[in-house]
Amino acid sequence: MTSAKLITAAMLAIGDELLSGRTKDRNIGHLADMLFLAGIDLKEVRIVGDDEEMIVDALNALRRRYDYVFTSGGIGPTHDDITADAVAAAFGVLCTHDPAAMELMAAMYARRGMEFNEARQRMARMPVGAKHIPNSVSTAPGFSIGNVHVMAGVPQVFVAMLESLLPTLKTGTPVLSRSIASPFGEGDIGTQLTAIQRAHPETSIGSYPRFDGTRFSTEIVIRSREEATASAAERDILAMIAEIAAAKAAT
């Protein structure tokens, strides 16, 4: 029986521009990579437009199901940046100008000789009781409330916020990943590989077809949180490949 510690997460990407195709999301892949390294399982990703009711519904469903929810987008200075309001509504609290965020941003704009106008002050709004996620790129902080972590949609800022946030989170047992090159296509190995997966339920075995212009082959990837289970599955896969090779050589 595995003793691995499991921590689960979901992502909610917010913005009409994502659904229209005007913006190509880069944050989902980066989050997935960073959570994998931290031992946090990203289980679900949703994309919703700039609609408060849809954001609230999605956020409430995700935060009740997973240990963490990460959002991106919708905390900028324009009228359609409504994520802070939606998150506040989901938690049943007010969304106000956070005094510490106002102070940080006022000082930043003063240094730049720019007006800290009403639109820019919108970026200091967050739910009452939220904690800052530092932003080393453009100062305006993201925020955390409950198990929800709200970050910017601009990839450079999202990366910076996530870098600040991750060390503060509880993490699980990291996943081990092993790759095996099979010279045979999925059609040759599919049945046996299914049996191997059933024999090793504490592993996740994926097969990824390759074609070099002449023949098909398969990359087989084993993922597990325990060395022993990964090694056992690897031995069975290597034995399967050798058995198929011997059978083909005999014909």
Side-chain angles (χ1 to χ4, degrees):
M1 180 178 293
T2 180
S3 59
K5 181 182 178 183
L6 301 180
I7 305 294
T8 61
M11 180 174 183
L12 181 63
I14 300 166
D16 290 341
E17 68 279 4
L18 298 174
L19 294 171
S20 70
R22 291 194 306 273
T23 298
K24 312 301 180 187
D25 183 87
R26 290 160 49 192
N27 297 325
I28 295 171
H30 179 73
L31 179 68
D33 286 342
M34 294 300 99
L35 294 186
F36 178 83
L37 293 174
I40 299 174
D41 286 6
L42 182 61
K43 293 291 191 181
E44 185 174 349
V45 175
R46 298 191 191 186
I47 301 176
V48 297
D50 297 306
D51 179 288
E52 183 170 316
E53 183 178 354
M54 293 178 64
I55 296 170
V56 170
D57 288 347
L59 190 61
N60 279 334
L62 295 172
R63 71 188 181 95
R64 290 167 183 153
R65 185 170 185 178
Y66 302 107
D67 294 306
Y68 295 125
V69 180
F70 302 89
T71 81
S72 67
I75 55 173
T78 60
H79 71 282
D80 58 347
D81 288 312
I82 60 171
T83 297
D85 297 275
V87 174
F91 279 87
V93 299
L94 293 175
C95 185
T96 63
H97 289 86
D98 179 80
M102 289 286 285
E103 185 176 345
L104 275 173
M105 295 178 65
M108 180 268 290
Y109 281 111
R111 289 193 301 271
R112 296 181 179 180
M114 301 170 66
E115 181 187 359
F116 188 33
N117 58 25
E118 184 178 349
R120 290 168 178 148
Q121 289 175 24
R122 281 181 55 83
M123 293 186 287
R125 296 174 73 252
M126 58 186 65
V128 172
K131 298 179 180 179
H132 288 198
I133 300 174
N135 171 4
S136 62
V137 175
S138 56
T139 304
F143 60 85
S144 299
I145 180 168
N147 63 338
V148 176
H149 306 287
V150 178
M151 293 176 283
V154 177
Q156 184 181 7
V157 180
F158 181 89
V159 168
M161 288 182 174
L162 185 61
E163 184 177 343
S164 297
L165 176 64
L166 273 178
T168 71
L169 303 180
K170 60 182 180 180
T171 58
T173 305
V175 176
L176 304 172
S177 181
R178 295 186 181 182
S179 179
I180 300 171
S182 164
F184 307 111
E186 287 185 307
D188 290 318
I189 66 175
T191 300
Q192 297 95 319
L193 200 58
T194 298
I196 292 172
Q197 175 67 91
R198 288 174 179 164
H200 301 280
E202 292 184 349
T203 68
S204 173
I205 301 173
S207 62
Y208 305 92
R210 301 286 185 263
F211 183 65
D212 63 6
T214 303
R215 63 185 181 86
F216 286 97
S217 60
T218 309
E219 180 186 14
I220 302 171
V221 177
I222 306 166
R223 294 183 177 89
S224 175
R225 283 188 160 85
E226 294 188 350
E227 180 71 31
T229 57
S231 296
E234 182 179 28
R235 286 193 296 271
D236 285 356
I237 290 170
L238 291 173
M240 172 197 71
I241 292 171
E243 181 180 330
I244 294 173
K248 286 184 177 294
T251 59

